[in-house]
Amino acid sequence: MGQTLKCISPIDRSVYAERDTLSQDAAFAATDRARAAQAAWAARPLAERTELVMAGVAAVGAMNDEIVPELAHMMGRPVRFGGEFGGFNERASHMASIAEEALADIEVGEDATFKRYIKHIPHGVVLVVAPWNYPYMTAINTVAPALIAGNTVVLKHATQTLLVGERMAAAFHTAGVPEDVFQNVFLDHDTTSELIAEKAFNFVNFTGSVGGGKAMERAAAGTFTGVGTELGGKDPGYVMEDADLDAAVDTLIDGAMFNSGQCCCGIERIYVHESQYDAFLAKAIAIVKGYKLGSPLDEATTIGPMANVRFAQEVRDQIAEAVEAGAVAHIDTMAEDDGGAYLTPQILTNVTHDMRVMQDESFGPVVGIMKVSSDEEAIALMNDSQFGLTASLWTQDVDRAQAVGDQIETGTVFMNRADYLDPGLCWTGCKDTGRGGGLSVIGFHNLTRPKSYHLKKVTS
């Protein structure tokens, strides 16, 4: 017996959408169809696969006027920000543009006697488990290169953004991608684990919680199925004494609060050199006090509700615990804060790393700010975390940023920017943030396996 998945809208806690999960038999039938379709899809010319994928991307863009309010209803992002198609298209377009070079054979050498080379072979059937916070952009990170590389893809999306996978699949099918090559499925956790354990997939890409990542790895244990994960984060910013203060404040606070703080690489803790600290804090407080909390359907709203009351409660708990332990909260509760999904964005000072708000992932509109006196102190604090996704360094000195960056345990080092995913660079993390890497040339390599050819031409 399947389950019914329900998307509860954070706007008013109504059921916005619901779908029944596939039975185990139906789920295995779907993966069987994906496997049966994969060889023919991979046999198509690379240029043809790429063209079809990009046509699917364009078809998603044509739906944007419907998608933007749909996202507001499902996960609370204000309509004024216009959805995700810009980043969605940028990432897919970059992967399409580098596909021929990234997937080209690696020539090792050829002479009269031998020809040697390495091919990039698609894994086969790829499961993409996507999160709700940037549901289109996070999904396309893997869907586009996986399909372009010759894999078939099964997409399982988060319940909070229940309609996204349907939208993507419909768009890609309309554009000419065969239905069995790219499937959207609704699965419960047990069925997903069973599929992985029974080797229904050749590769699994999961973006979500640490607990979810562990569940994926447990399901794959002993199967030798590759699992790529992007899990939690607690990304730091470090403002040095020579930083452009206005740019640092604007970018880091936006990085902490945009999308109600629900960003994989959002800024969750900030370390400011003592010479800049007071000015930074004053400017940061002024920015956050200027936000308008409210319905994401209102064009005037700059910060909407969190996606779920449960997520907002975790942030409230972290803030309350920190204040009880001596932290100072600088933003008064806003009138629109309903004690549920609508949550006042908060800046905390007098925080320490003994507090959960500086250690556990918050994934909400709260940031702790600490004063530091040296690079060494900042580096030690930035590394005092179980996570490692990105770190944002603010200085005018590129050499210094590189030297500090070399000492930070992280997947990406930013200088004078934050909260951005460059598709030309590998999107990766370390520690409990997970393993593997998406986008860039490395993203293609992770969605294929190497196959070596050692051809001896002369036998006498």
Side-chain angles (χ1 to χ4, degrees), residues 251-262:
T251 303
L252 291 175
I253 295 303
D254 182 66
M257 302 298 174
F258 187 77
N259 205 38
S260 298
Q262 300 166 134

Side-chain angles (χ1 to χ4, degrees), residues 127-193:
L127 172 64
V128 178
V129 183
W132 52 264
N133 63 317
Y134 281 93
Y136 284 92
M137 290 198 290
T138 52
I140 204 64
N141 290 351
T142 307
V143 169
L147 290 172
I148 289 171
N151 299 284
T152 52
V153 171
V154 175
L155 173 62
K156 176 188 181 298
H157 226 296
T159 302
Q160 194 66 49
T161 41
L162 204 55
L163 305 182
V164 171
E166 282 187 341
R167 286 278 189 192
M168 288 182 63
F172 277 58
H173 298 159
T174 299
V177 175
E179 291 188 8
D180 290 343
V181 167
F182 179 33
Q183 299 180 58
N184 174 67
V185 295
F186 300 106
L187 302 173
D188 60 40
H189 295 323
D190 289 343
T191 302
T192 303
S193 295

Side-chain angles (χ1 to χ4, degrees), residues 339-415:
Y342 291 86
L343 172 66
T344 300
Q346 191 56 263
I347 292 173
L348 298 174
T349 58
N350 202 34
V351 289
T352 73
H353 276 220
D354 294 325
M355 299 173 180
R356 282 205 307 130
V357 77
M358 296 298 284
Q359 290 287 327
D360 291 358
E361 184 173 38
S362 302
F363 217 64
V366 58
V367 65
I369 304 177
M370 293 179 67
K371 184 187 299 184
V372 295
S373 59
S374 67
D375 289 351
E376 291 74 21
E377 183 181 5
I379 291 165
L381 289 167
M382 285 189 281
N383 285 340
D384 182 26
S385 173
Q386 70 189 83
F387 301 112
L389 186 57
T390 79
S392 177
L393 308 179
W394 289 80
T395 176
Q396 303 299 318
D397 188 337
V398 174
D399 291 338
R400 183 180 178 188
Q402 290 176 316
V404 171
D406 286 345
Q407 299 174 71
I408 302 172
E409 297 159 353
T410 189
T412 294
V413 176
F414 291 115
M415 173 181 163

Side-chain angles (χ1 to χ4, degrees), residues 99-391:
E100 185 174 359
E101 180 180 358
L103 294 171
D105 294 349
I106 301 171
E107 301 293 343
V108 177
E110 182 175 9
D111 55 25
T113 306
F114 289 100
K115 179 177 177 65
R116 297 173 298 147
Y117 59 98
I118 304 167
K119 291 181 72 70
H120 299 286
I121 305 298
H123 287 303
V125 183
V126 173
L127 172 64
V128 178
V129 183
W132 52 264
N133 63 317
Y134 281 93
Y136 284 92
M137 290 198 290
T138 52
I140 204 64
N141 290 351
T142 307
V143 169
L147 290 172
I148 289 171
N151 299 284
T152 52
V153 171
V154 175
L155 173 62
K156 176 188 181 298
H157 226 296
T159 302
Q160 194 66 49
T161 41
L162 204 55
L163 305 182
V164 171
E166 282 187 341
R167 286 278 189 192
M168 288 182 63
F172 277 58
H173 298 159
T174 299
V177 175
E179 291 188 8
D180 290 343
V181 167
F182 179 33
Q183 299 180 58
N184 174 67
V185 295
F186 300 106
L187 302 173
D188 60 40
H189 295 323
D190 289 343
T191 302
T192 303
S193 295
E194 183 70 16
L195 288 166
I196 295 170
E198 292 298 322
K199 300 187 179 183
F201 308 108
N202 301 100
F203 187 80
V204 176
N205 182 268
F206 175 82
T207 305
S209 69
V210 173
K214 289 179 178 179
M216 295 290 162
E217 290 199 341
R218 281 194 297 268
T223 67
F224 305 110
T225 300
V227 178
T229 52
E230 185 210 318
L231 311 174
K234 195 71 183 173
D235 292 8
Y238 171 33
V239 181
M240 304 180 201
E241 67 272 16
D242 66 337
D244 179 331
L245 186 64
D246 288 336
V249 175
D250 289 344
T251 303
L252 291 175
I253 295 303
D254 182 66
M257 302 298 174
F258 187 77
N259 205 38
S260 298
Q262 300 166 134
C263 302
C264 299
C265 56
I267 296 296
E268 296 211 359
R269 50 201 175 106
I270 301 174
Y271 307 100
V272 184
H273 189 271
E274 57 193 4
S275 64
Q276 298 259 42
Y277 179 84
D278 290 341
F280 183 98
L281 179 59
K283 290 175 181 289
I285 292 170
I287 289 171
V288 175
K289 284 185 174 179
Y291 288 159
K292 177 172 173 49
L293 175 65
S295 169
L297 300 173
D298 184 346
E299 286 282 352
T301 294
T302 55
I303 186 166
M306 293 191 67
N308 190 289
V309 172
R310 175 168 55 88
F311 308 152
Q313 188 57 51
E314 169 62 14
V315 179
R316 284 192 173 90
D317 289 345
Q318 288 188 20
I319 293 170
E321 291 169 18
V323 170
E324 185 176 358
V328 177
H330 291 271
I331 310 299
D332 293 336
T333 302
M334 295 178 174
E336 298 81 5
D337 188 326
D338 65 349
Y342 291 86
L343 172 66
T344 300
Q346 191 56 263
I347 292 173
L348 298 174
T349 58
N350 202 34
V351 289
T352 73
H353 276 220
D354 294 325
M355 299 173 180
R356 282 205 307 130
V357 77
M358 296 298 284
Q359 290 287 327
D360 291 358
E361 184 173 38
S362 302
F363 217 64
V366 58
V367 65
I369 304 177
M370 293 179 67
K371 184 187 299 184
V372 295
S373 59
S374 67
D375 289 351
E376 291 74 21
E377 183 181 5
I379 291 165
L381 289 167
M382 285 189 281
N383 285 340
D384 182 26
S385 173
Q386 70 189 83
F387 301 112
L389 186 57
T390 79

Side-chain angles (χ1 to χ4, degrees), residues 19-65:
R19 296 290 187 274
D20 291 333
T21 60
L22 295 178
S23 68
Q24 190 172 99
D25 287 347
F28 274 97
T31 59
D32 287 345
R33 292 194 301 273
R35 189 165 301 283
Q38 191 269 324
W41 174 250
R44 295 195 188 199
L46 173 61
E48 182 181 333
R49 297 196 303 267
T50 302
E51 182 179 355
L52 287 170
V53 167
M54 290 312 298
V57 169
V60 171
M63 301 175 176
N64 202 52
D65 287 347

